[in-house]
């Protein structure tokens, strides 16, 4: 006769959908809804801006300038998400979220903004488009989730579009950093050389190369994590449907 | 002749719930440690230190000294197993973590080939502070090695291999980075000259002595107490231990002090960065320790802070 195990777990299934376990209070939920709606709107503005600029100019070239300001504003605004995790109203890891947001902010300010010469590159359009579509879907996903009224289409989009958008964004990002390299080396941008009072040096050019190299271990991990999430979220729902 | 009810223990994999092992005729007063040894017999690779046994797959791990009949199980106990991965003994851990920086720094001090430019190979710095820094760094790690071998008594037996690799990479890489700048041909000595170096050196030595005193005090505490009698550390006749009046973990306080003074002595930003990161990590450890002490001892002194007197 087997003895009951101590501390039986209450839930039968482990949570698959990104539902909050404890849940933020009503005020926090209201704030998060507003935040996510504003972000969705912001990225829609960027999307519309890109389309309008393309139609006006008739070419893909130099569209960055038409959405430069909203891009900087809304991408930088995503830093708030780190705060949300730190305060606890969003059940994500501070480190993971911080890392993701920082990498975006880094590309926006420390590469694209800082190295003026790359702003005309097509690779910029590549990652901006990828980010725009991803963020519109992601923020609307969060909005609907918070309101407990998530259309399957949005959930499906969130866990499917990344299959193309992720590699697209990564390609755009890597090409942009690569394009920035010669200018950084020539001007010694953000670099400190010896000798100096604090016995410290920093070579931004080398740093950018190391950043590019870091994509090799990081990107597959993130990509396959999303694929596993996709399987859990989308297939799990199908199981429920067939019951 | 008394009849003892024997227990049966089934060990299941925590993730797959597959039965890994079934032990019958287990003595009721057997400890988890003994059960781990029995499990080891069936699985040669999984020595006891690698085994993590729990009554509930999501619950707390069982201790080696837990007795089977005192656990909330019937006569057939279901225990869940997790493989902690290859483990390394603590002494080995510290040797690996400390020998690396010790030798790496010396490679930079003596300007081994391929580090700096060709004409600088095996040259030496004209500044005395560079030699002093090498002496301080080397003595610091020799002291740590001596403590690891002769002074420390470890409560847990082992550490996972992956953690050691990660720690070693961190310590070795950081010591290489800071050694690179201090021993660089273009090194700039401190702005306030000998005064800065001497004051910093004095504080460094005091902190090293303090850190050593605390380690000895903690060690004696464990020796006197024995396994069951748990006491918290007190100030002793040694003035360095008087910091116990103010902090729970003066060893960390002294350690931060030593590295901070080393930063000032070398006026090197990478050293300051290392000190800062070490301070963050040690504060986390100190806060944890402080909480444990406060919870366990009702008469724990209120004046004591975790790591910085009166502040943190």
């Amino acid at each position: 006769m087997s003895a009951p195990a101590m501390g039986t777990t209450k839930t039968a299934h482990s949570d698959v959908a990104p539902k909050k376990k404890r849940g933020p209070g009503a005020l926090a939920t209201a704030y998060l809804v507003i935040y996510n709606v504003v972000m969705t709107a912001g990225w829609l503005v960027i999307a519309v801006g890109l389309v309008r600029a393309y139609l006006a100019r008739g070419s893909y070239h130099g569209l960055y300038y038409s959405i430069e300001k909203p891009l900087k504003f809304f991408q930088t605004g995503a830093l708030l998400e780190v705060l949300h995790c730190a305060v606890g109203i969003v059940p994500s890891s501070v480190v993971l979220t911080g890392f993701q947001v920082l990498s975006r902010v880094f590309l926006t300010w420390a590469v694209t903004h800082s190295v003026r010469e790359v702003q005309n590159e097509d690779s910029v359009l590549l990652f901006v488009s990828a980010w725009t579509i991803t963020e519109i879907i992601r923020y609307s996903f969060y909005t609907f989730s918070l309101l407990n009224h998530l259309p399957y289409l949005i959930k499906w989009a969130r866990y499917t579009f990344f299959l193309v958008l992720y590699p697209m964004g990564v390609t755009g990002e890597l090409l942009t950093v690569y394009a920035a390299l010669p200018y950084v080396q020539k001007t010694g941008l953000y670099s400190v050389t010896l000798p100096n009072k604090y016995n410290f040096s920093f070579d931004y050019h080398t740093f950018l190369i190391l950043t590019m190299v870091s994509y090799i271990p990081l990107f597959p991990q993130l990509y396959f994590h999303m694929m596993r999430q996709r399987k859990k979220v989308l297939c799990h729902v199908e199981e429920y449907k067939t019951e | 002749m008394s009849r003892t009810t024997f227990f049966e223990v089934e060990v299941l994999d925590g993730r797959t719930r597959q039965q890994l092992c079934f032990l019958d005729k287990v003595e009721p007063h057997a400890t988890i440690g003994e059960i781990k040894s029995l499990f080891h017999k069936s699985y040669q690779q999984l020595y006891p230190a690698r085994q993590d046994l729990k009554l509930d797959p999501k619950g707390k791990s069982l201790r080696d000294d837990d007795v089977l009949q005192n656990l909330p199980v019937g006569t057939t106990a279901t225990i869940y197993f997790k493989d902690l991965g290859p483990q390394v003994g603590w002494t080995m851990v510290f040797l690996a973590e400390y020998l690396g920086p010790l030798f790496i720094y010396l490679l930079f001090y003596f300007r081994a080939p391929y580090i700096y430019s060709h004409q600088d190979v095996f040259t030496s710095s004209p500044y005395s502070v560079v030699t002093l820094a090498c002496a301080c760094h080397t003595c610091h790690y020799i002291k740590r090695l001596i403590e690891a071998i002769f002074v420390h008594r470890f409560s847990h037996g082992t550490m996972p291999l992956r953690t050691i690799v990660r720690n070693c990479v961190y310590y070795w890489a950081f010591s290489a980075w800071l050694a690179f700048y201090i021993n660089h041909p273009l090194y700039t000595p401190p702005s306030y000259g000998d005064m800065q170096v001497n004051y910093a050196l004095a504080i460094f030595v005091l902190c090293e002595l303090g850190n050593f005193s605390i380690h000895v005090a903690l060690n004696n505490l464990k020796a006197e107490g024995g396994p069951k009698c748990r006491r918290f550390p007190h100030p002793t006749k040694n003035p360095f231990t008087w910091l116990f009046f103010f902090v729970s973990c003066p060893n960390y306080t002294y350690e931060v002090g030593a590295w901070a003074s080393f930063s000032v002595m070398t006026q090197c930003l990478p050293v300051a960065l290392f000190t800062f990161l070490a301070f963050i990590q040690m504060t986390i450890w100190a806060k944890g320790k402080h909480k444990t002490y406060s919870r366990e001892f009702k008469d724990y002194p209120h004046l004591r802070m975790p790591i910085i007197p009166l502040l943190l």
Side-chain angles (χ1 to χ4, degrees):
Chain A
M1 199 98 97
S2 58
M6 205 187 132
T8 46
T9 45
K10 294 192 187 81
T11 50
H13 298 280
S14 56
D15 263 89
V16 166
K19 282 207 284 278
K20 304 161 285 300
K21 294 178 193 84
R22 252 161 263 118
L27 186 63
T29 309
Y31 161 75
L32 283 173
V33 170
I34 295 173
Y35 173 80
N36 285 302
V37 166
V38 166
M39 291 307 256
T40 313
W43 285 94
L44 277 166
V45 162
I46 295 171
V48 166
L50 282 171
V51 171
R52 289 183 66 185
Y54 170 68
L55 292 173
R57 285 170 200 255
S59 92
Y60 290 113
H61 212 61
L63 296 181
Y64 170 76
Y65 300 103
S66 53
I67 44 84
E68 184 181 358
K69 282 201 169 52
L71 175 69
K72 285 176 176 172
F73 181 80
F74 288 101
Q75 186 57 80
T76 313
L79 283 168
L80 281 172
E81 286 164 50
V82 184
L83 195 66
H84 298 163
C85 296
V87 169
I89 53 178
V90 172
S92 289
S93 145
V94 173
V95 172
L96 213 58
T97 309
F99 183 76
Q100 288 169 343
V101 175
L102 270 166
S103 66
R104 289 285 192 88
V105 168
F106 176 77
L107 239 121
T108 307
W109 289 100
V111 181
T112 315
H113 165 79
S114 303
V115 187
R116 218 146 278 166
E117 292 86 348
V118 307
Q119 288 167 3
N120 269 316
E121 294 280 330
D122 292 338
S123 54
V124 174
L125 178 63
L126 196 60
F127 76 74
V128 170
S129 327
W131 290 5
T132 306
I133 305 172
T134 306
E135 299 301 67
I136 293 172
I137 298 172
R138 186 167 76 94
Y139 285 116
S140 40
F141 175 88
Y142 290 146
T143 310
F144 287 117
S145 298
L146 283 163
L147 297 171
N148 281 318
H149 191 82
L150 180 66
Y152 182 74
L153 181 66
I154 305 278
K155 184 193 305 205
W156 180 85
R158 191 204 177 186
Y159 285 100
T160 308
F161 276 44
F162 82 90
L163 290 167
V164 171
L165 293 177
Y166 228 55
M168 195 171 123
V170 164
T171 309
E173 291 170 27
L174 284 174
L175 285 172
T176 307
V177 175
Y178 185 72
L181 287 177
Y183 300 105
V184 169
Q185 185 162 54
K186 196 169 58 160
T187 60
L189 182 68
Y190 299 147
S191 301
V192 176
T193 54
L194 287 177
N196 59 69
K197 203 163 61 158
Y198 295 112
N199 294 303
F200 173 70
S201 69
F202 181 71
D203 183 25
Y204 193 46
H205 181 253
T206 312
F207 181 76
L208 285 176
I209 293 177
L210 289 174
T211 306
M212 288 177 71
V213 170
S214 74
Y215 274 70
I216 299 175
L218 290 174
F219 169 68
Q221 281 189 45
L222 291 168
Y223 196 62
F224 290 124
H225 171 72
M226 281 300 279
M227 285 180 82
R228 278 193 301 263
Q229 288 294 96
R230 174 171 203 266
K231 209 180 244 183
K232 269 206 307 195
V233 171
L234 297 182
C235 296
H236 186 80
V237 176
E238 275 165 30
E239 276 167 29
Y240 265 129
K241 280 190 176 165
T242 55
E243 266 176 37
Chain B
M1 194 163 70
S2 62
R3 256 177 18 129
T4 9
T5 342
F6 284 115
F7 277 64
E8 293 177 325
V9 177
E10 61 163 357
V11 183
L12 308 180
D13 184 300
R15 254 180 316 141
T16 64
R17 304 285 201 272
Q18 255 189 320
Q19 191 188 76
L20 297 171
C21 180
F22 189 83
L23 306 164
D24 57 1
K25 298 264 195 314
V26 182
E27 303 264 326
H29 52 77
T31 60
I32 294 294
E34 286 164 10
I35 291 178
K36 285 185 180 176
S37 304
L38 289 171
F39 185 82
H40 178 37
K41 290 206 177 101
S42 310
Y43 293 88
Q44 295 288 1
Q45 300 277 51
L46 303 173
Y47 42 87
R50 264 179 96 149
Q51 299 175 34
D52 178 29
L53 299 181
K54 305 178 180 183
L55 290 175
D56 169 15
K58 295 205 172 96
K60 265 178 49 166
S61 302
L62 295 167
R63 293 160 51 107
D64 277 5
D65 54 9
D66 284 337
V67 176
L68 189 57
Q69 64 183 6
N70 296 341
L71 295 172
V73 292
T75 47
T76 304
T78 304
I79 296 186
Y80 295 94
F81 162 84
K82 188 170 104 143
D83 183 7
L84 294 170
Q87 302 283 306
V88 181
W90 275 107
T91 313
M92 250 356 266
V93 168
F94 282 133
L95 282 172
E97 286 180 3
Y98 301 154
L99 281 171
L102 187 66
F103 285 115
I104 288 172
Y105 193 102
L106 290 173
L107 278 176
F108 284 86
Y109 177 72
F110 291 112
R111 295 187 181 158
Y114 303 113
I115 298 175
Y116 303 112
S117 58
H118 187 67
Q119 69 255 37
D120 296 312
V121 173
F122 294 131
T123 55
S124 57
S125 171
Y127 304 112
S128 59
V129 65
V130 173
T131 308
L132 195 58
C134 182
C136 287
H137 188 271
T138 306
C139 287
H140 175 82
Y141 281 100
I142 289 178
K143 168 186 151 292
R144 283 220 201 165
L145 283 164
I146 292 175
E147 285 173 345
I149 299 171
F150 297 110
V151 177
H152 292 310
R153 271 167 228 270
F154 301 111
S155 40
H156 301 285
T158 63
M159 186 195 236
L161 184 65
R162 203 174 267 175
T163 311
I164 300 171
V165 173
R166 183 197 69 190
N167 288 358
C168 280
V169 167
Y170 177 77
Y171 286 124
W172 294 24
F174 229 121
S175 62
W177 193 47
L178 58 92
F180 175 76
Y181 289 108
I182 299 172
N183 300 294
H184 201 282
L186 293 175
Y187 172 76
T188 311
S191 309
Y192 295 99
D194 283 345
M195 184 181 78
Q196 181 172 339
V197 173
N198 294 334
Y199 272 115
L201 177 66
I203 298 179
F204 177 82
V205 171
L206 287 174
C207 287
E208 291 286 346
L209 289 171
N211 180 270
F212 183 72
S213 308
I214 303 300
H215 284 151
V216 168
L218 289 171
N219 187 49
N220 290 339
L221 195 72
K222 282 207 179 118
E224 296 162 18
K228 283 305 167 191
C229 167
R230 293 180 61 91
R231 296 161 47 220
F232 61 86
H234 290 275
T236 66
K237 290 204 194 74
N238 182 339
F240 286 114
T241 63
W242 297 351
L243 201 49
F244 270 121
F245 280 121
F246 299 104
V247 289
S248 297
C249 301
N251 49 325
Y252 294 146
T253 316
Y254 283 123
E255 183 77 19
V256 174
W259 281 105
S261 57
F262 189 68
S263 313
V264 170
M265 191 170 84
T266 54
Q267 198 165 300
C268 181
L269 193 61
V271 183
L273 187 62
F274 181 75
T275 308
F276 181 64
L277 294 174
F279 174 60
I280 292 176
Q281 176 65 81
M282 286 193 274
T283 303
I284 295 172
W285 290 338
K287 284 193 171 220
K289 195 102 220 217
H290 182 81
K291 201 180 246 180
T292 312
Y293 280 149
S294 304
R295 229 184 266 151
E296 194 166 340
F297 302 102
K298 295 301 165 204
D299 57 340
Y300 199 71
H302 291 291
L303 183 62
R304 285 195 197 181
M305 298 300 272
I307 187 171
I308 305 287
L310 308 173
L311 291 176
L312 191 58

